[in-house]
Amino acid sequence: MSTYKVGVIGGDGIGPEVVAEALKVVGAAGVSLSCTDYDLGADRYVRTGEVLPDAVLEELRRQDAILLGAVGPPVGSSAVPSGALERGLLLRLRFELDLYVNMRPFTGVPGALAPDCDFVVIRENTEGTYAGEGGFLRKGTLFEVATQGSVNTRHGVERCARFAFALAADRPRHQLTLVHKTNVLTFAGDLWQRTVDEISPDFPSVVRDYNHVDATCIYLVENPNRYDVIVTDNLFGDIITDLAGAISGGIGYAASANLNPDRTGPSLFEPVHGAAHDIAGTGRANPAAAIRSAALMLDHLGEASAAEKMTKSVADFIASHPDPTLSTAAIGDAIAERL
């Protein structure tokens, strides 16, 4: 049996708690991990002023994968400057490790607005408005100007779109929907549309479609079953996946994979939810999203059978209508026992 090197960033708030349950279930699935814990997040920043030291980044490059819980200070805290962790840790890892695909699968749970939905959002993860292009003129004056550009390259768009097409070709419905705002964002949107159009003949089994992003927000609420695979840019993907989490049962169930499909470095796996400091230490955190994220990690590492069993165990547990008072650890135990 292979042993995989995994960098573990528990982070802040409930992050360490949900990661512990994810690792518990991985162990129950029979996969051997050699884990190295990394102290990164708001707590470290407050103590040391460091976000992601270069030496730590180089260590993370040598891992087979990275599992992250959640990072961020308590709501309302001014101890960490706005954007310091997002740009200095999360986005830096995406850019430095070339995690150019953000994959978020959504499968509905009982009681959700859309309990039978089953679709995947593929979000371009290293370009768009998050690339950091922009700046200020005359900052702090009445004549201040702020610009924030959207960076879209043919290379970046194509490699993301090809990943989405290949995924759609492997799914039963063979359907891909490009989500953008081509009628207003006539440069970036045109590049995305032309790229998808030109790639499409390479995947003849895939039926492609297009929706404006605002219409997509309506369709996700009214009829999410119209979607199979959505491909979209960085900002739109960030927004619609939070909505997708809400309609499929809540972001406590939403998993996420930040992928380097070329495998030139490790990929990073994390639940969509935040640090939720208000319930940290109470045992009330839902570890399902972290466990599902760990299953995505195993699948990426080549442990498809174990990943499938983990995902099914989570689904079966949720479908069993468990006692809502179960603690974080008890939920992890129950899912592990199903394996």
Side-chain angles (χ1 to χ4, degrees):
M1 177 184 295
S2 298
T3 297
Y4 302 97
K5 298 185 298 180
V6 175
V8 177
I9 304 172
D12 305 306
I14 65 171
E17 300 171 42
V18 297
V19 164
E21 300 313 308
L23 293 175
K24 176 193 295 180
V25 177
V26 168
V31 178
S32 176
L33 303 181
S34 174
C35 295
T36 302
D37 291 315
Y38 290 93
D39 175 23
L40 297 170
D43 288 346
R44 175 168 182 157
Y45 179 86
V46 171
R47 292 196 319 271
T48 69
E50 296 178 307
V51 178
L52 178 59
D54 292 343
V56 175
L57 174 60
E58 292 311 307
E59 287 186 32
L60 288 169
R61 289 187 195 277
R62 296 192 289 271
Q63 303 297 316
D64 295 318
I66 301 168
L67 183 64
L68 185 148
V71 295
V75 175
S77 170
S78 59
V80 181
S82 178
L85 294 178
E86 292 82 357
R87 297 212 65 83
L89 177 57
L90 300 178
L91 292 184
R92 189 181 180 200
L93 285 172
R94 293 175 192 175
F95 298 152
E96 292 280 355
L97 302 178
D98 204 19
L99 308 177
Y100 63 84
V101 164
N102 180 251
M103 179 173 71
R104 296 184 175 182
F106 295 95
T107 305
V109 303
L113 182 63
D116 58 346
C117 70
D118 181 9
F119 62 93
V120 182
V121 178
I122 300 299
R123 164 191 173 192
E124 199 292 316
N125 213 29
T126 59
E127 295 188 347
T129 52
Y130 290 16
E133 192 278 331
F136 293 102
L137 292 173
R138 299 182 291 275
K139 186 176 182 181
T141 74
L142 291 175
F143 305 99
E144 180 173 342
V145 177
T147 63
Q148 191 81 56
S150 179
V151 177
N152 300 265
T153 68
R154 171 63 190 234
H155 170 70
V157 173
E158 180 169 349
R159 64 183 184 172
C160 177
R162 283 193 177 277
F163 182 93
F165 267 106
L167 178 64
D170 283 341
R171 288 171 60 88
R173 292 172 58 189
H174 306 295
Q175 180 185 329
L176 177 92
T177 304
L178 169 63
V179 170
H180 211 282
K181 190 68 174 173
T182 55
N183 59 335
V184 176
L185 304 178
T186 53
F187 302 119
D190 184 70
L191 173 57
W192 274 87
Q193 186 68 71
R194 282 187 290 109
T195 303
V196 166
D197 291 347
E198 291 167 20
I199 291 173
S200 183
D202 294 340
F203 298 89
S205 68
V206 176
V207 177
R208 60 188 172 89
D209 192 10
Y210 171 82
N211 287 156
H212 290 324
V213 64
D214 44 344
T216 298
C217 292
I218 297 173
Y219 298 147
L220 281 173
V221 173
E222 292 184 343
N223 182 25
N225 290 325
R226 68 183 291 153
Y227 293 119
D228 182 20
V229 175
I230 292 173
V231 64
T232 189
D233 86 340
N234 209 335
L235 177 61
F236 295 149
D238 196 3
I239 295 168
I240 67 173
T241 53
D242 276 7
L243 176 56
I247 62 102
S248 60
I251 58 173
Y253 294 105
S256 178
N258 298 276
L259 299 174
N260 177 334
D262 303 324
R263 298 178 187 269
T264 58
S267 294
L268 184 151
F269 303 83
E270 59 178 329
V272 174
H273 63 68
H277 286 268
D278 58 323
I279 60 170
T282 67
R284 291 165 52 202
N286 181 358
I291 296 169
R292 282 176 159 178
S293 297
L296 294 176
M297 179 180 73
L298 294 192
D299 187 65
H300 183 73
L301 291 172
E303 299 288 346
S305 176
E308 184 178 357
K309 290 175 183 176
M310 280 182 63
T311 301
K312 185 176 186 302
S313 293
V314 175
D316 289 348
F317 170 76
I318 296 168
S320 71
H321 299 286
D323 181 350
T325 66
L326 283 178
S327 69
T328 305
I331 293 172
D333 289 341
I335 294 172
E337 287 169 7
R338 290 177 177 272
L339 288 163

